[in-house]
Amino acid sequence: MLWLAEAQEQGGARIAQLQDVDLDHIDLLQYDAGPSTNFHADGLGVALAATHAAGAPAFGAPPARWTSHGFIGPAYSPLPMPLEPTARWGEFFGEQRIRHLLQLGRSKGLWEDDGALFERIADRLVSGEFDDGRPPARLHGDLWAGNIIWTREGPVLIDPAAHGGHAETDLAMLLLFTAPHIARIIAAYDEAAPLADGWQERVGLHQLFPVMVHAIVFGGDYVSQSVEIARSYA
């Protein structure tokens, strides 16, 4: 959280203030909820672009001062996620996200008949087919709608899985779980930091990561949803 909060000095998104942390709890400053408005959505888009622009040393790089692997998922059952600095985004995302999650899922009996789909996507990623030469962005990493607190002063972000990655990953997660005023957020972001050509066609590729996480943690329709997405890119 501190790594993300550092970007606020350059206009980055507001990050919830950490009050206390221990092995069994994380206490955050309490915020008074407010309405989500077009004005605040526009501000979030611009601020998120600034957070991403603060950058990271590499794709897959952990936050400053963090020396372990990462986590994502519910607090009662978080999934460990590798954080190995990598020169190219496709190699990072293919190996440390898609293949890693495929292995976790297979250990739980998932994707036994569809593993080849995910392997082909990982191969395409690792080959550099989806790399666009953009530098690593400073990602929230788990930016679904529930991790935005809307206050009267504007949105505040909570519960990050921060790392260096591709900016489109945060935006794809906002789109996956339909954050309020999502069209305004994306438009304001695009005006502040123009998105690469064809970004809409890659949304599902980035969404495959959180959907696979949900398939492993919750099962159900998320398993078939992940396979459906995979077929679009395999």
Side-chain angles (χ1 to χ4, degrees), residues 96-132:
Q96 298 185 45
R97 292 301 179 261
I98 304 306
R99 277 203 173 102
H100 173 71
L101 288 171
L102 177 60
Q103 291 172 358
L104 292 180
R106 280 173 162 168
S107 71
K108 295 178 177 290
L110 303 180
W111 303 308
E112 293 181 349
D113 298 325
D114 300 293
L117 289 173
F118 298 93
E119 292 284 2
R120 286 198 294 272
I121 294 171
D123 286 343
R124 292 183 69 188
L125 285 159
V126 172
S127 75
E129 182 177 342
F130 297 100
D131 290 342
D132 58 13

Side-chain angles (χ1 to χ4, degrees), residues 65-182:
R65 301 171 294 277
W66 186 260
T67 58
S68 182
H69 56 70
F71 297 94
I72 195 167
Y76 63 82
S77 182
L79 300 181
M81 300 301 296
L83 290 176
E84 297 291 337
T86 307
R88 294 189 299 102
W89 175 74
E91 183 179 359
F92 156 68
F93 202 71
E95 296 290 355
Q96 298 185 45
R97 292 301 179 261
I98 304 306
R99 277 203 173 102
H100 173 71
L101 288 171
L102 177 60
Q103 291 172 358
L104 292 180
R106 280 173 162 168
S107 71
K108 295 178 177 290
L110 303 180
W111 303 308
E112 293 181 349
D113 298 325
D114 300 293
L117 289 173
F118 298 93
E119 292 284 2
R120 286 198 294 272
I121 294 171
D123 286 343
R124 292 183 69 188
L125 285 159
V126 172
S127 75
E129 182 177 342
F130 297 100
D131 290 342
D132 58 13
R134 297 197 172 199
R138 187 171 303 196
L139 296 191
H140 178 283
D142 192 12
L143 196 56
W144 70 289
N147 282 342
I148 305 173
I149 299 175
W150 297 90
T151 76
R152 295 187 181 280
E153 291 74 33
V156 177
L157 307 186
I158 62 172
D159 293 347
H163 63 279
H166 199 300
E168 291 176 5
T169 301
D170 272 350
L171 300 179
M173 193 172 290
L174 284 172
L175 286 161
L176 177 63
F177 297 108
T178 318
H181 310 285
I182 184 59

